[in-house]
């Protein structure tokens, strides 16, 4: 791998790049410490702090992608989404999916954007915590999930908000088979003025942009 390819790879993997930079700083500090003790100690201290920061960010990022917790990380510089002009932009996660942080009737919840899903789907826990009312039906729906066929109930989300987008009275299904996962489906995306993917960024443009709020 050439030097330019290595640099591009590190740019695409910021945590790895930070770790490599920290190691180089620590090494440089050790090399100059005899000649310039103060500078050497300063460089080694800065490098050690950078390594600790990298470790903490890695732990938080892993927790974000592997647990059911609703975790947005603007305080670490890793927002779930960002608003630029009329657009809400969502960067692709390390798992190859687009995740966003939304509020369901005011309750913070994490969602996977799935363009292959017809309807927005929420977990039972989300429905309970966000007070999403389910429609009584004589017969429940049958949905195919990664865990097989599951029963689901139709529901209506009073308000789902993220970035500069607000969807009200949104049809959804409550699916126990989803576990803790919530899914944004095409019935929400079709309400937008447009949506597209550019590189590793999902760009959503609402018809009527709303004032964004901190997730």
């Amino acid at each position: 791998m050439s030097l330019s390819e290595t640099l591009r790879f590190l740019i695409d993997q910021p945590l790895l790049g930070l770790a490599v930079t920290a190691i180089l700083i620590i090494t440089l500090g050790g090399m100059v410490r005899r000649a310039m003790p103060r500078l050497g100690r300063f460089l080694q201290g800065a490098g050690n702090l950078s390594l600790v920061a990298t470790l903490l960010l890695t732990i938080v990022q892993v927790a974000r992608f592997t647990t059911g917790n609703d975790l947005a990380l603007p305080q670490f510089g890793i927002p779930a989404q960002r608003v630029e002009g009329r657009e809400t932009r969502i960067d692709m996660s390390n798992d190859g999916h687009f995740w966003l942080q939304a509020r369901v009737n005011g309750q913070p919840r994490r969602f996977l954007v799935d363009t292959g899903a017809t309807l927005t789907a929420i977990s039972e826990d989300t429905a309970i915590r966000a007070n999403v009312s389910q429609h009584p039906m004589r017969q429940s729906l049958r949905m195919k999930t990664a865990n097989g066929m599951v029963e689901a109930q139709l529901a209506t989300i009073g308000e789902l908000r993220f970035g500069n987008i607000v969807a009200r009275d949104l049809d959804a299904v409550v699916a126990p088979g989803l576990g803790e996962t919530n899914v944004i489906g095409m019935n929400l995306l079709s309400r937008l003025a447009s949506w597209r993917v550019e590189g590793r960024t999902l760009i959503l443009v609402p018809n009527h942009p709303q004032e964004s709020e901190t997730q």
Side-chain angles (χ1 to χ4, degrees):
M1 182 180 290
S2 65
L3 178 59
S4 61
E5 291 175 334
T6 301
L7 290 175
R8 283 197 297 270
F9 176 77
L10 291 176
I11 291 173
D12 291 335
Q13 303 292 330
L15 291 180
L16 178 60
L18 180 59
V20 171
T21 301
I23 293 172
L24 291 176
I25 292 174
I26 293 171
T27 302
L28 178 62
M31 293 172 61
V32 304
R33 187 164 182 173
R34 287 189 177 182
M36 294 177 283
R38 290 186 177 179
L39 178 59
R41 287 195 297 270
F42 173 78
L43 291 174
Q44 288 183 317
N48 287 328
L49 286 176
S50 296
L51 280 179
V52 171
T54 302
L55 176 61
L56 291 175
L57 286 172
T58 300
I59 292 172
V60 171
Q61 192 173 56
V62 168
R64 182 188 184 193
F65 297 134
T66 59
T67 70
N69 293 332
D70 296 308
L71 185 60
L73 305 174
Q75 65 271 38
F76 291 100
I78 311 175
Q81 62 266 338
R82 63 188 184 279
V83 175
E84 295 183 4
R86 291 176 52 87
E87 302 172 345
T88 289
R89 291 175 168 253
I90 305 166
D91 292 329
M92 182 181 292
S93 300
N94 290 346
D95 61 4
H97 298 294
F98 294 106
W99 294 89
L100 59 86
Q101 187 75 7
R103 291 187 179 275
V104 182
N105 296 339
Q107 292 294 317
R109 297 279 109 175
R110 185 169 176 247
F111 280 80
L112 167 69
V113 181
D114 185 357
T115 58
T118 302
L119 287 175
T120 295
I122 60 176
S123 69
E124 281 188 307
D125 181 67
T126 296
I128 293 170
R129 291 180 180 274
N131 195 27
V132 175
S133 58
Q134 300 179 40
H135 304 316
M137 297 179 62
R138 293 183 179 179
Q139 200 170 26
S140 59
L141 299 173
R142 299 281 290 174
M143 288 183 59
K144 185 177 182 181
T145 71
N147 297 322
M149 297 299 294
V150 298
E151 293 188 350
Q153 296 290 336
L154 284 174
T156 299
I157 297 174
E159 181 182 274
L160 192 152
R161 176 187 294 267
F162 61 92
N164 65 348
I165 296 168
V166 176
R168 296 185 175 89
D169 297 325
L170 179 69
D171 289 335
V173 291
V174 180
L178 291 175
E180 292 300 316
T181 304
N182 303 292
V183 176
I184 294 290
M186 282 301 301
N187 68 318
L188 188 151
L189 297 180
S190 63
R191 291 189 178 190
L192 304 177
S194 67
W195 64 271
R196 65 189 186 276
V197 176
E198 292 184 358
R200 293 172 58 86
T201 303
L202 174 63
I203 302 172
L204 308 176
V205 184
N207 289 292
H208 306 288
Q210 304 293 306
E211 184 177 353
S212 62
E213 59 180 39
T214 303
Q215 300 294 335

